[in-house]
Amino acid sequence: MQSGRLSDSGPAEPGPRLRSLCGADQAAWASSLSEAEAEAGCFALAVAAVLPAGGSGERMGVPTPKQFCPILERPLISYTLQALERVCWIKDIVVAVTGENMEAMKGIIQRYQHKRISLVEAGVTRHRSIFNGLKALAEDQPNSRLSKPEVVIIHDAVRPFVEEDVLFQVVTAAKEYGASGAIRPLVSTVISPSTEGCLDYSLERARHRASEMPQAFLFDVIYEAYRQCSDHDLEFGTECLHLALKYCHIKAKLVEGSPDLWKVTYKRDLYAAESIIKERISQQICVVMDTKEDEEHVGHRLEEMLKNELNHMKKVTSGKDLQQILLEQCYSFVCVNVMTSDFEETHKLLNMLEESNLSILYPVVVISVHFLDYKSVPFGQTMENLMPIREFAKEVKKRNILLYGLLIYYPQDEQKLKESLRQGATIIAALIKERNSGLTGQLLIA
């Protein structure tokens, strides 16, 4: 079987080769990781991942397979790939997709700049797709451009929130036990109905667990299990740990997983996933000040209001070192312009964002805030000066940057100014949290 490699990096360096471990005693072979390796988060073990992504998503109830459904206009599978790519010690990621979705998958990899990805054609069932992925990693396949790993992770394309710590746990457990998988407590009691549709028996919920992903295996174990697997298991089976037990007599080590391991299955899950992603990328904002020395206090008062309104977010005030802020991957910016109705500073910020490619993975919010003297500047002139924001917003939206305008009148008496600042902070908080592309280019007034 041939696999298409779509990555700038070369194949993983081959690690030490393992003898066949099916039914063999692994205790003499396995050894725990050193403290230094554990602290570093990277280790010498050769690790790859297989991601079956050939499902049709029937339970989702939409024509698009769920792994390709958009969240914030980006396919769900891209978030899962990003989660795996963050882990430096996963050398190769093999994705099994159907032939009809192969070009679409290549487009996703290119658009979102995913690395270390290889594609293989999916089988007609989940187990057959995984087997195809394993074949791409095996040394006995002709024209294979990948190196056989010592440990292979199997994960779902529709579980985008997997963290490195649980991946680390299942990999290290697989190294010692031959197989490992994440589990979670059962939410509902499992019952078995009789052929007449009546209750036959129920399982004691406290004694049983739900099998989740990721799972990890010594490569030789799971590959041999799939090679021996019956057609019936390949067609109707769903549990990889069971195959290792049935065909290689390997009892998997079970690892308690986090609540984030849930699987996007139904349409409502897409909304839940979107909400989680929005929350994660809204944890930090950058307030860029463009203030004259004698007016500086107004912008900083707005910043203080923001701190009170957005107390769950990490604040960053800059203008001094925006490049460093961009490196820290902040996705929410407030550009404060005091006593000016032009967009010079906002333009500078937008240009920096476009050059940084920060918005490739997530929508970046930019709120251009303008403080204007309502006594000296007529309202009509003010609105005319700020109307270009619509055209700016249309242009930058093409690059996944969401631009909004916010107008705060100044000076006012102390009480009115305080209320305007508080209302402005509330509007900013809502725009950052919701990231509503339908409101881009709008000029809101506090």
Side-chain angles (χ1 to χ4, degrees):
M1 169 175 290
Q2 292 185 337
S3 63
R5 176 83 177 185
L6 296 174
S7 170
D8 292 337
S9 57
E13 288 297 319
R17 298 298 170 234
L18 304 178
R19 59 187 171 85
S20 176
L21 293 171
C22 282
D25 179 15
Q26 302 152 57
W29 176 86
S31 61
S32 59
L33 293 172
S34 69
E35 244 178 72
E37 287 174 325
E39 289 176 3
C42 292
F43 45 93
L45 199 65
V47 180
V50 171
L51 208 64
S56 61
E58 291 179 8
R59 286 175 291 181
M60 182 70 72
V62 295
T64 304
K66 58 190 173 184
Q67 60 270 26
F68 298 113
C69 285
I71 297 179
L72 296 178
E73 301 185 20
R74 177 179 159 202
L76 174 59
I77 192 172
S78 177
Y79 292 96
T80 308
L81 291 177
Q82 182 188 6
L84 296 176
E85 285 174 319
R86 287 194 185 110
V87 182
C88 65
W89 39 266
I90 298 178
K91 303 303 182 184
D92 294 297
I93 303 168
V94 179
V95 183
V97 294
T98 60
E100 61 184 313
N101 290 319
M102 189 68 71
E103 290 305 314
M105 191 67 233
K106 290 179 181 178
I108 291 169
I109 293 169
Q110 182 176 10
R111 178 174 180 180
Y112 299 105
Q113 300 181 6
H114 292 299
K115 307 296 181 186
R116 314 197 306 270
I117 311 297
S118 297
L119 300 182
V120 298
E121 189 161 343
V124 294
T125 64
R126 171 182 168 80
H127 272 330
R128 292 191 186 278
S129 293
I130 293 171
F131 194 14
N132 286 352
L134 294 173
K135 288 177 183 177
L137 292 166
E139 290 184 320
D140 59 0
Q141 296 299 311
N143 303 318
S144 176
R145 291 179 285 175
L146 301 173
S147 297
K148 189 181 83 169
E150 295 171 70
V151 173
V152 62
I153 296 167
I154 297 175
H155 191 54
D156 285 331
V158 290
R159 295 181 193 257
F161 303 119
V162 62
E163 297 289 349
E164 182 173 0
D165 58 348
V166 71
L167 291 166
F168 187 85
Q169 289 179 59
V170 296
V171 166
T172 53
K175 179 182 177 182
E176 181 174 355
Y177 293 90
S180 177
I183 57 170
R184 290 285 301 156
L186 288 173
V187 176
S188 302
T189 299
V190 178
I191 62 174
S192 177
S194 67
T195 54
E196 293 79 23
C198 299
L199 176 65
D200 191 0
Y201 64 90
S202 65
L203 299 180
E204 185 181 342
R205 190 168 63 183
R207 294 187 57 208
H208 295 82
R209 292 291 183 268
S211 177
E212 306 286 354
M213 289 289 171
Q215 295 175 352
F217 304 84
L218 290 174
F219 183 84
D220 286 354
V221 166
I222 194 63
Y223 187 52
E224 184 61 26
Y226 271 96
R227 290 179 62 177
Q228 294 184 29
C229 192
S230 68
D231 286 338
H232 182 273
D233 283 340
L234 286 175
E235 289 296 323
F236 302 105
T238 58
E239 179 55 72
C240 303
L241 299 179
H242 175 71
L243 297 185
L245 177 63
K246 181 176 180 179
Y247 293 103
C248 291
H249 313 293
I250 298 296
K251 291 186 177 180
K253 178 66 174 176
L254 304 179
V255 174
E256 194 72 28
S258 69
D260 290 337
L261 295 180
W262 58 277
K263 181 180 180 181
V264 175
T265 304
Y266 302 103
K267 196 171 183 179
R268 64 177 179 267
D269 295 331
L270 289 173
Y271 302 121
E274 180 177 301
S275 178
I276 291 172
I277 292 167
K278 283 181 177 179
E279 181 69 21
R280 289 186 175 186
I281 62 177
S282 299
Q283 292 302 305
Q284 180 178 343
I285 70 171
C286 173
V287 180
V288 183
M289 293 289 182
D290 170 35
T291 58
K292 296 179 181 178
E293 195 170 321
D294 59 340
E295 299 156 347
E296 191 168 328
H297 66 285
V298 184
H300 283 292
R301 286 185 64 184
L302 175 64
E303 183 189 344
E304 288 303 314
M305 290 288 183
L306 282 171
K307 287 181 179 178
N308 293 330
E309 185 69 29
L310 312 175
N311 55 15
H312 65 288
M313 295 183 182
K314 176 183 176 183
K315 289 293 154 343
V316 182
T317 52
S318 182
K320 297 179 181 178
D321 194 3
L322 261 180
Q323 291 291 354
Q324 182 60 37
I325 299 300
L326 295 178
L327 288 174
E328 294 175 0
Q329 297 187 319
C330 176
Y331 295 97
S332 306
F333 294 83
V334 178
C335 189
V336 180
N337 306 271
V338 178
M339 299 301 179
T340 178
S341 58
D342 62 41
F343 291 90
E344 182 179 351
E345 291 302 316
T346 303
H347 260 306
K348 291 179 183 178
L349 174 60
L350 291 173
N351 288 337
M352 291 183 68
L353 288 171
E354 290 179 19
E355 291 172 3
S356 72
N357 290 326
L358 185 68
S359 59
I360 288 177
L361 296 179
Y362 300 105
V364 174
V365 166
V366 175
I367 303 170
S368 186
V369 180
H370 301 265
F371 286 86
L372 294 173
D373 187 341
Y374 73 100
K375 292 181 179 178
S376 61
V377 183
F379 180 79
Q381 181 182 336
T382 299
M383 296 303 293
E384 184 178 348
N385 291 341
L386 293 175
M387 287 310 291
I389 191 173
R390 292 186 177 180
E391 292 305 315
F392 298 156
K394 284 182 183 178
E395 189 60 31
V396 298
K397 188 179 178 182
K398 298 174 185 175
R399 290 178 284 281
N400 208 22
I401 299 174
L402 308 180
L403 175 62
Y404 312 92
L406 178 62
L407 179 62
I408 299 177
Y409 281 120
Y410 172 84
Q412 303 182 56
D413 64 64
E414 182 62 24
Q415 187 59 37
K416 288 183 177 179
L417 177 60
K418 188 175 181 180
E419 181 57 34
S420 291
L421 291 173
R422 183 180 293 109
Q423 187 176 358
T426 302
I427 291 172
I428 290 171
L431 291 173
I432 289 174
K433 180 180 179 181
E434 295 302 323
R435 297 178 186 266
N436 189 332
S437 61
L439 291 176
T440 57
Q442 298 300 308
L443 181 62
L444 307 175
I445 300 177

